Amino acid sequence: MIAGELYDASDPQLCEMRLTARRLTREYNNSREDESEKRKEILRDLFGSIGTEITVEPSFRCDYGSNIYVGENFYMNFNCVILDVAPVTMGNNVFIAPNVQIYTATHPITAKERISGLELGKAITIGDNVWLGGNCVICPGVTIGNNAVVGAGAVVVKDCNVVVAGNPAKIIKQIDQPENISTDDP
């Protein structure tokens, strides 16, 4: 699964892991706005790793959670879904708008394999200082480089490190800025 090879999603251990993720996301989504420490604790239990500054607006859904790795200063707006059958690694200063979908899960192309119930996943990497616009979809295996912007409604099917938008996403602007951005005041 994590290695990008075919796997059986009905495996009892994987089913149990998904149930744990469902329980934790339910707890998170039902928590109150003033329970920020409780929310961080749930995310620490759910995700593979998190930075110290993280905000995830409910409602949030994921497959396993344990394959999600988040850097510092992370913000995810309402109604996002991450299908994390393979690793989803997000850098520092990542901002995710409402209704974003991040899919590592995919299925075999041939009908015979697909009908067999086997599935596979392809890792997604999102660099530092990235902004994902509302309702965008990040498809399996994509890498989004540092400082990139994905426009609202874009369907990203290829790696990018610029401003992209559309379906499928296409380059609409180059970014003229240094690779490493300091957030410290001069």
Side-chain angles (χ1 to χ4, degrees):
M1 179 174 90
I2 292 175
E5 298 175 4
L6 289 171
Y7 69 94
D8 181 357
S10 65
D11 175 84
Q13 182 180 5
L14 295 178
C15 291
E16 184 61 36
M17 291 170 66
R18 285 193 305 273
L19 285 175
T20 298
R22 301 299 186 277
R23 179 183 55 78
L24 289 169
T25 55
R26 184 182 65 254
E27 286 178 28
Y28 189 87
N29 291 332
N30 290 330
S31 64
R32 293 191 327 262
E33 294 76 9
D34 62 349
E35 295 180 309
S36 59
E37 285 307 311
K38 176 181 180 180
R39 285 182 171 182
K40 281 185 184 178
E41 186 61 35
I42 293 169
L43 291 176
R44 275 192 280 278
D45 291 342
L46 179 62
F47 287 2
S49 66
I50 64 171
T52 55
E53 294 301 319
I54 182 170
T55 300
V56 175
E57 301 289 359
S59 171
F60 166 70
R61 301 276 187 251
C62 63
D63 270 336
Y64 298 94
S66 58
N67 296 321
I68 300 171
Y69 304 91
V70 174
E72 294 295 332
N73 196 31
F74 178 82
Y75 180 82
M76 182 184 296
N77 216 318
F78 300 102
N79 299 319
C80 291
V81 174
I82 301 177
L83 301 185
D84 63 311
V85 302
V88 175
T89 305
M90 295 180 264
N92 299 324
N93 306 307
V94 172
F95 299 102
I96 299 177
N99 301 309
V100 169
Q101 314 293 303
I102 300 173
Y103 304 144
T104 64
T106 188
H107 301 276
I109 298 299
T110 65
K112 183 178 181 180
E113 280 185 309
R114 193 170 50 252
I115 293 167
S116 76
L118 296 178
E119 301 177 5
L120 62 148
K122 297 179 182 178
I124 291 174
T125 301
I126 298 170
D128 294 336
N129 314 311
V130 171
W131 173 25
L132 302 180
N135 292 302
C136 73
V137 176
I138 311 302
C139 291
V142 166
T143 295
I144 298 174
N146 293 343
N147 309 314
V149 175
V150 176
V155 177
V156 183
V157 298
K158 296 180 182 177
D159 295 354
C160 65
N161 63 353
V162 294
V163 179
V164 297
N167 180 3
K170 295 183 174 147
I171 297 171
I172 61 171
K173 183 177 182 177
Q174 298 292 331
I175 300 174
D176 297 322
Q177 58 184 333
E179 183 70 17
N180 297 317
I181 297 175
S182 173
T183 56
D184 299 332
D185 292 329

